[in-house]
Amino acid sequence: MKIPTAGRRDRKQRPRRRALVLALALTAAVGITGAAVLTGTLTFGTHGPTAHPGPAPAPGPSVAPSGPAPSPGAPGIGDPLLPHDGNGGYTVRRYTLAFDWRAPRTPFAARATISATATQALSRFNLDFAGNTLHTVTVDGAPATAERDGDELLVTPARPIPKGNPFTVRVAYTADPTQQRQRDDAIRTYGWVPTSDGTVVCAQPNGAKMIFPVNDHPSLRAPITFRITTPPGLSAVANGRLVERVRRPDGRVRWTYDSEHPVAAQLIQLAIGKFTFVDSTGPRGLPVRDVVPEDLVADTEDHRSRTSEHLTWLERRLGPYPFRRYGVLVGDTDLPVALETQALSVVPRAALLGDRVDAERDLVHELAHQWTGNSVAIRRWSDLWLSEGHARFYERLYSDEHGGVAIEDAMRAAYEQHDRWRHDAGAPAEPTEPTLFKVMRYDGSALVLYALREKVGEETFDRIERSWVTKYRGRVAGTRDFIALASDVAGEDLTPFLTPWLYGERTPPMPGHPDWEVDPVQD
């Protein structure tokens, strides 16, 4: 995510909690607020979903007596900052999402199909799922009991699931595209973001659970198939490749997208509106497709057209772009933040209608994230400095070379404020949940990388950076991994140098700049 360097007034997240127990029947179709379900296939029609009966499900497998006794999967993966995010006991192989979009701020029929594999013998498992009206849950075609506990959906299958077995969960619900939450940091508003004729999605940090039932943690990724049905005259876009566009007899259009790569929940995109698709190519013929509200195509063209230059510049430093396509989604909203949704970054219209230097900072920041944060995913939320710090560093470096503030001046200003940021928001690698997206994770973390470059020299630093995004491409990595890799490339143990920068209460001296001073902290 790209934010201004400082001075934002943000709001605080106040999650809602509620509980609901559903007893699900298999013997007949059930109609609840426009959703009808049998054990066969659910199809979305003009007036809501229609059920097509299928064969009765075969009895589920039983657990071998010699195996471990079935037990509930953990309600979270144990991230110290957001301990209930993600879930234990299984891994997701693919999400398939079906959305029958109607109109802005209007509830619509939705269905999520989750293909997973049990990593333990499961008597019950959790999904992250907030708000929305739940209708039915099945596991391998058989009705399951579903209990809501705040943001957790507790699913008890009709039969336990043995360790190692694949299983399929289907959740039918009515999606509420007005759902949003607030944070008192750079994120501000997240969840569904309505536009005049549709929506965009800003799921970071853990708002995907307001969109669909999910394993909502940045270290947990799976490919996604999106099937979005829109009224005539509207377009839909999501992460990845447009696989199919089908006009139905009633005039509505179904858009099918394949993410092509596993996606972390916070990086999903699902946007609907009166869009124009603007195609171009990047380095080596990389497909680039911008998605632009019809009345903003001409006015945003100048800044958007620089994407190929930005790709070339970043590839010289970080190596080949890590995904199969890229593009910019112009957000026709009043939100002042950009977001690195995977392979399709959201950049607000105001940024693309303003000054070139500022616009390019936004564009390069979100593009840099595709390497650092998207391809190389963070292991825990405390590793966020690796994602945002890298994106800010390359944004600052590009701006320095293209008419913006010199990176040395920007980093000196950050150095002066670093003790204050440490006091208010924790050291770069020690955020608290409320301070996760404060400025320390941006300029404060870019300063750590700048200090490392000053310590080892530009040539070694560039080798560290390229090695980082190459070794962990498509993988998860954390702060310890970065320190170990940097030490290996530099040929010296950098732990004593990086530890106080990342965890200390006070800002260390800046190598090569003995004259730089930190402003005193005054309570």
mmCIF file of all heavy atoms in Angstrom, residues 239-285:
data_model
loop_
_atom_site.group_PDB
_atom_site.id
_atom_site.type_symbol
_atom_site.label_atom_id
_atom_site.label_comp_id
_atom_site.label_asym_id
_atom_site.label_seq_id
_atom_site.Cartn_x
_atom_site.Cartn_y
_atom_site.Cartn_z
ATOM 1 N N ASN A 239 -8.226 -10.362 -10.203
ATOM 2 C CA ASN A 239 -6.827 -10.729 -10.383
ATOM 3 C C ASN A 239 -6.673 -11.734 -11.514
ATOM 4 O O ASN A 239 -7.459 -12.664 -11.654
ATOM 5 C CB ASN A 239 -6.273 -11.371 -9.109
ATOM 6 C CG ASN A 239 -6.496 -10.547 -7.863
ATOM 7 O OD1 ASN A 239 -7.547 -10.641 -7.255
ATOM 8 N ND2 ASN A 239 -5.518 -9.764 -7.477
ATOM 9 N N GLY A 240 -5.631 -11.561 -12.322
ATOM 10 C CA GLY A 240 -5.265 -12.588 -13.287
ATOM 11 C C GLY A 240 -5.826 -12.401 -14.680
ATOM 12 O O GLY A 240 -6.013 -11.281 -15.164
ATOM 13 N N ARG A 241 -6.119 -13.525 -15.327
ATOM 14 C CA ARG A 241 -6.477 -13.563 -16.749
ATOM 15 C C ARG A 241 -7.983 -13.705 -16.932
ATOM 16 O O ARG A 241 -8.633 -14.482 -16.227
ATOM 17 C CB ARG A 241 -5.777 -14.763 -17.402
ATOM 18 C CG ARG A 241 -6.079 -14.976 -18.873
ATOM 19 C CD ARG A 241 -5.215 -16.095 -19.441
ATOM 20 N NE ARG A 241 -5.553 -17.382 -18.862
ATOM 21 C CZ ARG A 241 -6.427 -18.253 -19.397
ATOM 22 N NH1 ARG A 241 -7.067 -17.936 -20.519
ATOM 23 N NH2 ARG A 241 -6.650 -19.416 -18.815
ATOM 24 N N LEU A 242 -8.525 -12.960 -17.878
ATOM 25 C CA LEU A 242 -9.920 -13.128 -18.262
ATOM 26 C C LEU A 242 -10.023 -14.407 -19.090
ATOM 27 O O LEU A 242 -9.525 -14.490 -20.205
ATOM 28 C CB LEU A 242 -10.407 -11.929 -19.069
ATOM 29 C CG LEU A 242 -11.841 -12.020 -19.602
ATOM 30 C CD1 LEU A 242 -12.850 -12.146 -18.471
ATOM 31 C CD2 LEU A 242 -12.167 -10.808 -20.477
ATOM 32 N N VAL A 243 -10.690 -15.394 -18.532
ATOM 33 C CA VAL A 243 -10.810 -16.704 -19.172
ATOM 34 C C VAL A 243 -12.001 -16.744 -20.117
ATOM 35 O O VAL A 243 -11.937 -17.320 -21.210
ATOM 36 C CB VAL A 243 -10.953 -17.808 -18.101
ATOM 37 C CG1 VAL A 243 -11.206 -19.169 -18.745
ATOM 38 C CG2 VAL A 243 -9.723 -17.847 -17.212
ATOM 39 N N GLU A 244 -13.094 -16.093 -19.694
ATOM 40 C CA GLU A 244 -14.329 -16.210 -20.476
ATOM 41 C C GLU A 244 -15.236 -15.035 -20.166
ATOM 42 O O GLU A 244 -15.287 -14.546 -19.030
ATOM 43 C CB GLU A 244 -15.032 -17.525 -20.125
ATOM 44 C CG GLU A 244 -16.270 -17.830 -20.946
ATOM 45 C CD GLU A 244 -16.906 -19.148 -20.535
ATOM 46 O OE1 GLU A 244 -17.264 -19.309 -19.346
ATOM 47 O OE2 GLU A 244 -17.036 -20.038 -21.411
ATOM 48 N N ARG A 245 -15.926 -14.583 -21.204
ATOM 49 C CA ARG A 245 -16.964 -13.560 -21.048
ATOM 50 C C ARG A 245 -18.165 -14.047 -21.825
ATOM 51 O O ARG A 245 -18.116 -14.191 -23.046
ATOM 52 C CB ARG A 245 -16.480 -12.211 -21.576
ATOM 53 C CG ARG A 245 -17.516 -11.095 -21.521
ATOM 54 C CD ARG A 245 -16.944 -9.804 -22.112
ATOM 55 N NE ARG A 245 -17.904 -8.725 -22.117
ATOM 56 C CZ ARG A 245 -18.816 -8.515 -23.062
ATOM 57 N NH1 ARG A 245 -18.875 -9.354 -24.104
ATOM 58 N NH2 ARG A 245 -19.652 -7.505 -22.990
ATOM 59 N N VAL A 246 -19.259 -14.326 -21.121
ATOM 60 C CA VAL A 246 -20.434 -14.951 -21.725
ATOM 61 C C VAL A 246 -21.654 -14.081 -21.474
ATOM 62 O O VAL A 246 -21.970 -13.753 -20.317
ATOM 63 C CB VAL A 246 -20.673 -16.359 -21.159
ATOM 64 C CG1 VAL A 246 -21.945 -16.960 -21.745
ATOM 65 C CG2 VAL A 246 -19.473 -17.257 -21.437
ATOM 66 N N ARG A 247 -22.337 -13.705 -22.541
ATOM 67 C CA ARG A 247 -23.599 -12.983 -22.396
ATOM 68 C C ARG A 247 -24.731 -13.995 -22.318
ATOM 69 O O ARG A 247 -24.885 -14.849 -23.178
ATOM 70 C CB ARG A 247 -23.830 -12.033 -23.570
ATOM 71 C CG ARG A 247 -25.113 -11.183 -23.424
ATOM 72 C CD ARG A 247 -25.211 -10.142 -24.531
ATOM 73 N NE ARG A 247 -24.127 -9.186 -24.462
ATOM 74 C CZ ARG A 247 -24.123 -8.115 -23.669
ATOM 75 N NH1 ARG A 247 -25.162 -7.884 -22.867
ATOM 76 N NH2 ARG A 247 -23.106 -7.288 -23.668
ATOM 77 N N ARG A 248 -25.534 -13.884 -21.294
ATOM 78 C CA ARG A 248 -26.622 -14.833 -21.084
ATOM 79 C C ARG A 248 -27.878 -14.365 -21.808
ATOM 80 O O ARG A 248 -27.977 -13.208 -22.228
ATOM 81 C CB ARG A 248 -26.884 -14.996 -19.581
ATOM 82 C CG ARG A 248 -25.641 -15.434 -18.826
ATOM 83 C CD ARG A 248 -25.898 -15.807 -17.403
ATOM 84 N NE ARG A 248 -26.927 -15.006 -16.761
ATOM 85 C CZ ARG A 248 -27.211 -15.067 -15.461
ATOM 86 N NH1 ARG A 248 -26.534 -15.868 -14.684
ATOM 87 N NH2 ARG A 248 -28.157 -14.323 -14.936
ATOM 88 N N PRO A 249 -28.851 -15.255 -21.966
ATOM 89 C CA PRO A 249 -30.085 -14.879 -22.678
ATOM 90 C C PRO A 249 -30.806 -13.685 -22.059
ATOM 91 O O PRO A 249 -31.479 -12.929 -22.766
ATOM 92 C CB PRO A 249 -30.934 -16.149 -22.582
ATOM 93 C CG PRO A 249 -29.944 -17.250 -22.483
ATOM 94 C CD PRO A 249 -28.814 -16.700 -21.661
ATOM 95 N N ASP A 250 -30.667 -13.499 -20.741
ATOM 96 C CA ASP A 250 -31.337 -12.365 -20.092
ATOM 97 C C ASP A 250 -30.560 -11.060 -20.225
ATOM 98 O O ASP A 250 -30.950 -10.029 -19.682
ATOM 99 C CB ASP A 250 -31.592 -12.676 -18.613
ATOM 100 C CG ASP A 250 -30.322 -12.914 -17.818
ATOM 101 O OD1 ASP A 250 -29.219 -12.784 -18.402
ATOM 102 O OD2 ASP A 250 -30.408 -13.232 -16.614
ATOM 103 N N GLY A 251 -29.417 -11.090 -20.926
ATOM 104 C CA GLY A 251 -28.624 -9.885 -21.130
ATOM 105 C C GLY A 251 -27.500 -9.693 -20.131
ATOM 106 O O GLY A 251 -26.573 -8.908 -20.379
ATOM 107 N N ARG A 252 -27.581 -10.384 -19.007
ATOM 108 C CA ARG A 252 -26.509 -10.278 -18.026
ATOM 109 C C ARG A 252 -25.256 -10.983 -18.541
ATOM 110 O O ARG A 252 -25.316 -11.857 -19.401
ATOM 111 C CB ARG A 252 -26.953 -10.846 -16.676
ATOM 112 C CG ARG A 252 -28.036 -9.969 -16.016
ATOM 113 C CD ARG A 252 -28.629 -10.627 -14.764
ATOM 114 N NE ARG A 252 -27.631 -10.842 -13.729
ATOM 115 C CZ ARG A 252 -27.166 -9.901 -12.917
ATOM 116 N NH1 ARG A 252 -27.593 -8.637 -13.026
ATOM 117 N NH2 ARG A 252 -26.275 -10.192 -11.985
ATOM 118 N N VAL A 253 -24.106 -10.575 -18.006
ATOM 119 C CA VAL A 253 -22.828 -11.074 -18.515
ATOM 120 C C VAL A 253 -22.052 -11.733 -17.373
ATOM 121 O O VAL A 253 -21.938 -11.159 -16.284
ATOM 122 C CB VAL A 253 -21.989 -9.931 -19.117
ATOM 123 C CG1 VAL A 253 -20.650 -10.463 -19.643
ATOM 124 C CG2 VAL A 253 -22.760 -9.232 -20.235
ATOM 125 N N ARG A 254 -21.536 -12.929 -17.665
ATOM 126 C CA ARG A 254 -20.702 -13.611 -16.672
ATOM 127 C C ARG A 254 -19.238 -13.506 -17.097
ATOM 128 O O ARG A 254 -18.868 -13.897 -18.202
ATOM 129 C CB ARG A 254 -21.084 -15.080 -16.524
ATOM 130 C CG ARG A 254 -20.329 -15.772 -15.375
ATOM 131 C CD ARG A 254 -20.657 -17.239 -15.290
ATOM 132 N NE ARG A 254 -20.134 -17.951 -16.464
ATOM 133 C CZ ARG A 254 -20.472 -19.196 -16.768
ATOM 134 N NH1 ARG A 254 -21.354 -19.848 -16.034
ATOM 135 N NH2 ARG A 254 -19.951 -19.777 -17.843
ATOM 136 N N TRP A 255 -18.418 -12.983 -16.184
ATOM 137 C CA TRP A 255 -16.987 -12.803 -16.398
ATOM 138 C C TRP A 255 -16.253 -13.834 -15.541
ATOM 139 O O TRP A 255 -16.492 -13.919 -14.335
ATOM 140 C CB TRP A 255 -16.541 -11.411 -15.977
ATOM 141 C CG TRP A 255 -17.338 -10.286 -16.578
ATOM 142 C CD1 TRP A 255 -18.619 -9.915 -16.258
ATOM 143 C CD2 TRP A 255 -16.905 -9.390 -17.603
ATOM 144 N NE1 TRP A 255 -19.007 -8.845 -17.020
ATOM 145 C CE2 TRP A 255 -17.980 -8.498 -17.848
ATOM 146 C CE3 TRP A 255 -15.719 -9.236 -18.322
ATOM 147 C CZ2 TRP A 255 -17.883 -7.474 -18.785
ATOM 148 C CZ3 TRP A 255 -15.626 -8.223 -19.259
ATOM 149 C CH2 TRP A 255 -16.701 -7.359 -19.486
ATOM 150 N N THR A 256 -15.351 -14.592 -16.148
ATOM 151 C CA THR A 256 -14.583 -15.587 -15.412
ATOM 152 C C THR A 256 -13.101 -15.231 -15.475
ATOM 153 O O THR A 256 -12.540 -15.070 -16.559
ATOM 154 C CB THR A 256 -14.799 -16.995 -15.978
ATOM 155 O OG1 THR A 256 -16.189 -17.320 -15.919
ATOM 156 C CG2 THR A 256 -14.009 -18.030 -15.188
ATOM 157 N N TYR A 257 -12.484 -15.111 -14.308
ATOM 158 C CA TYR A 257 -11.063 -14.799 -14.208
ATOM 159 C C TYR A 257 -10.337 -15.904 -13.445
ATOM 160 O O TYR A 257 -10.881 -16.476 -12.490
ATOM 161 C CB TYR A 257 -10.841 -13.470 -13.468
ATOM 162 C CG TYR A 257 -11.192 -12.252 -14.271
ATOM 163 C CD1 TYR A 257 -12.495 -11.756 -14.289
ATOM 164 C CD2 TYR A 257 -10.228 -11.585 -15.027
ATOM 165 C CE1 TYR A 257 -12.830 -10.627 -15.033
ATOM 166 C CE2 TYR A 257 -10.551 -10.453 -15.772
ATOM 167 C CZ TYR A 257 -11.845 -9.990 -15.767
ATOM 168 O OH TYR A 257 -12.173 -8.861 -16.512
ATOM 169 N N ASP A 258 -9.115 -16.168 -13.846
ATOM 170 C CA ASP A 258 -8.242 -17.114 -13.159
ATOM 171 C C ASP A 258 -7.040 -16.331 -12.646
ATOM 172 O O ASP A 258 -6.342 -15.658 -13.419
ATOM 173 C CB ASP A 258 -7.791 -18.205 -14.130
ATOM 174 C CG ASP A 258 -6.828 -19.209 -13.500
ATOM 175 O OD1 ASP A 258 -6.563 -19.098 -12.288
ATOM 176 O OD2 ASP A 258 -6.329 -20.093 -14.228
ATOM 177 N N SER A 259 -6.763 -16.426 -11.360
ATOM 178 C CA SER A 259 -5.665 -15.648 -10.776
ATOM 179 C C SER A 259 -4.294 -16.049 -11.328
ATOM 180 O O SER A 259 -3.337 -15.293 -11.194
ATOM 181 C CB SER A 259 -5.667 -15.783 -9.254
ATOM 182 O OG SER A 259 -5.315 -17.094 -8.865
ATOM 183 N N GLU A 260 -4.184 -17.227 -11.899
ATOM 184 C CA GLU A 260 -2.955 -17.756 -12.506
ATOM 185 C C GLU A 260 -1.869 -18.093 -11.499
ATOM 186 O O GLU A 260 -1.044 -18.978 -11.735
ATOM 187 C CB GLU A 260 -2.383 -16.791 -13.552
ATOM 188 C CG GLU A 260 -3.318 -16.495 -14.706
ATOM 189 C CD GLU A 260 -2.664 -15.592 -15.738
ATOM 190 O OE1 GLU A 260 -2.332 -14.445 -15.381
ATOM 191 O OE2 GLU A 260 -2.484 -16.039 -16.883
ATOM 192 N N HIS A 261 -1.808 -17.387 -10.401
ATOM 193 C CA HIS A 261 -0.836 -17.631 -9.338
ATOM 194 C C HIS A 261 -1.604 -17.679 -8.012
ATOM 195 O O HIS A 261 -2.671 -17.077 -7.878
ATOM 196 C CB HIS A 261 0.193 -16.503 -9.251
ATOM 197 C CG HIS A 261 0.977 -16.293 -10.507
ATOM 198 N ND1 HIS A 261 2.207 -16.877 -10.730
ATOM 199 C CD2 HIS A 261 0.724 -15.536 -11.610
ATOM 200 C CE1 HIS A 261 2.661 -16.502 -11.915
ATOM 201 N NE2 HIS A 261 1.788 -15.689 -12.467
ATOM 202 N N PRO A 262 -1.060 -18.356 -7.003
ATOM 203 C CA PRO A 262 -1.662 -18.247 -5.673
ATOM 204 C C PRO A 262 -1.689 -16.800 -5.205
ATOM 205 O O PRO A 262 -0.763 -16.026 -5.489
ATOM 206 C CB PRO A 262 -0.739 -19.111 -4.802
ATOM 207 C CG PRO A 262 -0.099 -20.065 -5.759
ATOM 208 C CD PRO A 262 0.076 -19.292 -7.038
ATOM 209 N N VAL A 263 -2.739 -16.438 -4.489
ATOM 210 C CA VAL A 263 -2.940 -15.057 -4.038
ATOM 211 C C VAL A 263 -3.208 -15.063 -2.535
ATOM 212 O O VAL A 263 -3.998 -15.877 -2.041
ATOM 213 C CB VAL A 263 -4.143 -14.404 -4.761
ATOM 214 C CG1 VAL A 263 -4.282 -12.941 -4.332
ATOM 215 C CG2 VAL A 263 -4.002 -14.506 -6.265
ATOM 216 N N ALA A 264 -2.568 -14.157 -1.810
ATOM 217 C CA ALA A 264 -2.917 -13.935 -0.414
ATOM 218 C C ALA A 264 -4.230 -13.164 -0.349
ATOM 219 O O ALA A 264 -4.522 -12.327 -1.208
ATOM 220 C CB ALA A 264 -1.817 -13.153 0.295
ATOM 221 N N ALA A 265 -5.020 -13.450 0.677
ATOM 222 C CA ALA A 265 -6.357 -12.855 0.760
ATOM 223 C C ALA A 265 -6.321 -11.335 0.716
ATOM 224 O O ALA A 265 -7.189 -10.700 0.107
ATOM 225 C CB ALA A 265 -7.052 -13.334 2.038
ATOM 226 N N GLN A 266 -5.322 -10.717 1.345
ATOM 227 C CA GLN A 266 -5.271 -9.249 1.382
ATOM 228 C C GLN A 266 -4.999 -8.633 0.018
ATOM 229 O O GLN A 266 -5.152 -7.429 -0.166
ATOM 230 C CB GLN A 266 -4.205 -8.793 2.372
ATOM 231 C CG GLN A 266 -2.795 -9.194 1.981
ATOM 232 C CD GLN A 266 -1.729 -8.287 2.567
ATOM 233 O OE1 GLN A 266 -2.008 -7.171 2.998
ATOM 234 N NE2 GLN A 266 -0.497 -8.761 2.593
ATOM 235 N N LEU A 267 -4.602 -9.463 -0.964
ATOM 236 C CA LEU A 267 -4.221 -8.945 -2.284
ATOM 237 C C LEU A 267 -5.250 -9.230 -3.359
ATOM 238 O O LEU A 267 -4.984 -9.020 -4.544
ATOM 239 C CB LEU A 267 -2.869 -9.548 -2.694
ATOM 240 C CG LEU A 267 -1.705 -9.267 -1.735
ATOM 241 C CD1 LEU A 267 -0.465 -10.002 -2.196
ATOM 242 C CD2 LEU A 267 -1.442 -7.772 -1.610
ATOM 243 N N ILE A 268 -6.440 -9.693 -2.974
ATOM 244 C CA ILE A 268 -7.459 -9.953 -3.979
ATOM 245 C C ILE A 268 -8.017 -8.639 -4.532
ATOM 246 O O ILE A 268 -7.999 -7.611 -3.854
ATOM 247 C CB ILE A 268 -8.621 -10.803 -3.424
ATOM 248 C CG1 ILE A 268 -9.393 -10.036 -2.342
ATOM 249 C CG2 ILE A 268 -8.141 -12.144 -2.921
ATOM 250 C CD1 ILE A 268 -10.789 -10.555 -2.112
ATOM 251 N N GLN A 269 -8.507 -8.709 -5.759
ATOM 252 C CA GLN A 269 -9.232 -7.587 -6.332
ATOM 253 C C GLN A 269 -10.463 -8.093 -7.041
ATOM 254 O O GLN A 269 -10.445 -9.134 -7.700
ATOM 255 C CB GLN A 269 -8.376 -6.801 -7.311
ATOM 256 C CG GLN A 269 -9.047 -5.545 -7.850
ATOM 257 C CD GLN A 269 -9.599 -4.660 -6.732
ATOM 258 O OE1 GLN A 269 -10.798 -4.618 -6.480
ATOM 259 N NE2 GLN A 269 -8.701 -3.967 -6.039
ATOM 260 N N LEU A 270 -11.537 -7.356 -6.875
ATOM 261 C CA LEU A 270 -12.799 -7.649 -7.536
ATOM 262 C C LEU A 270 -13.468 -6.300 -7.739
ATOM 263 O O LEU A 270 -13.889 -5.665 -6.786
ATOM 264 C CB LEU A 270 -13.665 -8.551 -6.650
ATOM 265 C CG LEU A 270 -15.054 -8.824 -7.187
ATOM 266 C CD1 LEU A 270 -15.188 -10.284 -7.543
ATOM 267 C CD2 LEU A 270 -16.098 -8.468 -6.158
ATOM 268 N N ALA A 271 -13.491 -5.826 -8.967
ATOM 269 C CA ALA A 271 -14.029 -4.500 -9.249
ATOM 270 C C ALA A 271 -15.090 -4.578 -10.333
ATOM 271 O O ALA A 271 -14.982 -5.379 -11.266
ATOM 272 C CB ALA A 271 -12.912 -3.548 -9.688
ATOM 273 N N ILE A 272 -16.103 -3.744 -10.188
ATOM 274 C CA ILE A 272 -17.218 -3.708 -11.130
ATOM 275 C C ILE A 272 -17.521 -2.250 -11.444
ATOM 276 O O ILE A 272 -17.508 -1.392 -10.555
ATOM 277 C CB ILE A 272 -18.455 -4.408 -10.530
ATOM 278 C CG1 ILE A 272 -18.161 -5.899 -10.324
ATOM 279 C CG2 ILE A 272 -19.682 -4.230 -11.427
ATOM 280 C CD1 ILE A 272 -19.096 -6.589 -9.380
ATOM 281 N N GLY A 273 -17.761 -1.964 -12.717
ATOM 282 C CA GLY A 273 -18.093 -0.596 -13.104
ATOM 283 C C GLY A 273 -18.160 -0.446 -14.616
ATOM 284 O O GLY A 273 -18.013 -1.421 -15.362
ATOM 285 N N LYS A 274 -18.337 0.765 -15.063
ATOM 286 C CA LYS A 274 -18.320 1.075 -16.494
ATOM 287 C C LYS A 274 -16.864 1.340 -16.890
ATOM 288 O O LYS A 274 -16.399 2.476 -16.878
ATOM 289 C CB LYS A 274 -19.215 2.273 -16.787
ATOM 290 C CG LYS A 274 -20.686 1.997 -16.529
ATOM 291 C CD LYS A 274 -21.554 3.222 -16.831
ATOM 292 C CE LYS A 274 -23.018 2.922 -16.554
ATOM 293 N NZ LYS A 274 -23.893 4.111 -16.789
ATOM 294 N N PHE A 275 -16.165 0.256 -17.216
ATOM 295 C CA PHE A 275 -14.735 0.315 -17.434
ATOM 296 C C PHE A 275 -14.377 0.261 -18.913
ATOM 297 O O PHE A 275 -15.078 -0.364 -19.718
ATOM 298 C CB PHE A 275 -14.029 -0.864 -16.746
ATOM 299 C CG PHE A 275 -14.110 -0.863 -15.247
ATOM 300 C CD1 PHE A 275 -14.394 -2.030 -14.558
ATOM 301 C CD2 PHE A 275 -13.880 0.297 -14.511
ATOM 302 C CE1 PHE A 275 -14.461 -2.058 -13.172
ATOM 303 C CE2 PHE A 275 -13.945 0.284 -13.127
ATOM 304 C CZ PHE A 275 -14.231 -0.891 -12.453
ATOM 305 N N THR A 276 -13.243 0.867 -19.224
ATOM 306 C CA THR A 276 -12.562 0.664 -20.497
ATOM 307 C C THR A 276 -11.271 -0.099 -20.205
ATOM 308 O O THR A 276 -10.546 0.239 -19.267
ATOM 309 C CB THR A 276 -12.227 2.007 -21.166
ATOM 310 O OG1 THR A 276 -13.436 2.685 -21.491
ATOM 311 C CG2 THR A 276 -11.418 1.785 -22.438
ATOM 312 N N PHE A 277 -11.010 -1.135 -21.001
ATOM 313 C CA PHE A 277 -9.789 -1.913 -20.849
ATOM 314 C C PHE A 277 -8.764 -1.381 -21.861
ATOM 315 O O PHE A 277 -9.009 -1.394 -23.063
ATOM 316 C CB PHE A 277 -10.058 -3.395 -21.086
ATOM 317 C CG PHE A 277 -10.973 -4.010 -20.059
ATOM 318 C CD1 PHE A 277 -12.353 -3.954 -20.205
ATOM 319 C CD2 PHE A 277 -10.458 -4.647 -18.941
ATOM 320 C CE1 PHE A 277 -13.200 -4.515 -19.263
ATOM 321 C CE2 PHE A 277 -11.293 -5.210 -17.987
ATOM 322 C CZ PHE A 277 -12.667 -5.148 -18.142
ATOM 323 N N VAL A 278 -7.634 -0.932 -21.358
ATOM 324 C CA VAL A 278 -6.591 -0.333 -22.202
ATOM 325 C C VAL A 278 -5.394 -1.276 -22.212
ATOM 326 O O VAL A 278 -4.715 -1.445 -21.191
ATOM 327 C CB VAL A 278 -6.180 1.050 -21.683
ATOM 328 C CG1 VAL A 278 -5.138 1.668 -22.615
ATOM 329 C CG2 VAL A 278 -7.393 1.969 -21.545
ATOM 330 N N ASP A 279 -5.124 -1.905 -23.359
ATOM 331 C CA ASP A 279 -4.068 -2.903 -23.475
ATOM 332 C C ASP A 279 -2.790 -2.302 -24.041
ATOM 333 O O ASP A 279 -2.811 -1.469 -24.954
ATOM 334 C CB ASP A 279 -4.525 -4.053 -24.380
ATOM 335 C CG ASP A 279 -5.639 -4.877 -23.752
ATOM 336 O OD1 ASP A 279 -5.463 -5.316 -22.604
ATOM 337 O OD2 ASP A 279 -6.683 -5.069 -24.404
ATOM 338 N N SER A 280 -1.656 -2.758 -23.499
ATOM 339 C CA SER A 280 -0.347 -2.395 -24.015
ATOM 340 C C SER A 280 0.605 -3.532 -23.659
ATOM 341 O O SER A 280 0.186 -4.584 -23.181
ATOM 342 C CB SER A 280 0.124 -1.055 -23.420
ATOM 343 O OG SER A 280 0.242 -1.149 -22.008
ATOM 344 N N THR A 281 1.882 -3.325 -23.892
ATOM 345 C CA THR A 281 2.863 -4.349 -23.555
ATOM 346 C C THR A 281 4.000 -3.726 -22.768
ATOM 347 O O THR A 281 4.347 -2.555 -22.942
ATOM 348 C CB THR A 281 3.433 -5.040 -24.810
ATOM 349 O OG1 THR A 281 3.983 -4.044 -25.673
ATOM 350 C CG2 THR A 281 2.352 -5.818 -25.535
ATOM 351 N N GLY A 282 4.579 -4.559 -21.908
ATOM 352 C CA GLY A 282 5.746 -4.149 -21.149
ATOM 353 C C GLY A 282 6.987 -4.848 -21.674
ATOM 354 O O GLY A 282 6.996 -5.353 -22.803
ATOM 355 N N PRO A 283 8.039 -4.903 -20.881
ATOM 356 C CA PRO A 283 9.275 -5.560 -21.312
ATOM 357 C C PRO A 283 9.037 -7.010 -21.733
ATOM 358 O O PRO A 283 8.246 -7.725 -21.115
ATOM 359 C CB PRO A 283 10.160 -5.492 -20.057
ATOM 360 C CG PRO A 283 9.611 -4.360 -19.259
ATOM 361 C CD PRO A 283 8.139 -4.344 -19.529
ATOM 362 N N ARG A 284 9.714 -7.407 -22.803
ATOM 363 C CA ARG A 284 9.629 -8.783 -23.316
ATOM 364 C C ARG A 284 8.199 -9.179 -23.662
ATOM 365 O O ARG A 284 7.831 -10.350 -23.583
ATOM 366 C CB ARG A 284 10.229 -9.777 -22.323
ATOM 367 C CG ARG A 284 11.700 -9.512 -21.975
ATOM 368 C CD ARG A 284 12.230 -10.501 -20.960
ATOM 369 N NE ARG A 284 11.289 -10.728 -19.880
ATOM 370 C CZ ARG A 284 11.085 -9.883 -18.868
ATOM 371 N NH1 ARG A 284 11.767 -8.746 -18.794
ATOM 372 N NH2 ARG A 284 10.207 -10.162 -17.927
ATOM 373 N N GLY A 285 7.367 -8.214 -24.027
ATOM 374 C CA GLY A 285 6.005 -8.511 -24.442
ATOM 375 C C GLY A 285 5.040 -8.793 -23.315
ATOM 376 O O GLY A 285 3.942 -9.320 -23.545
#
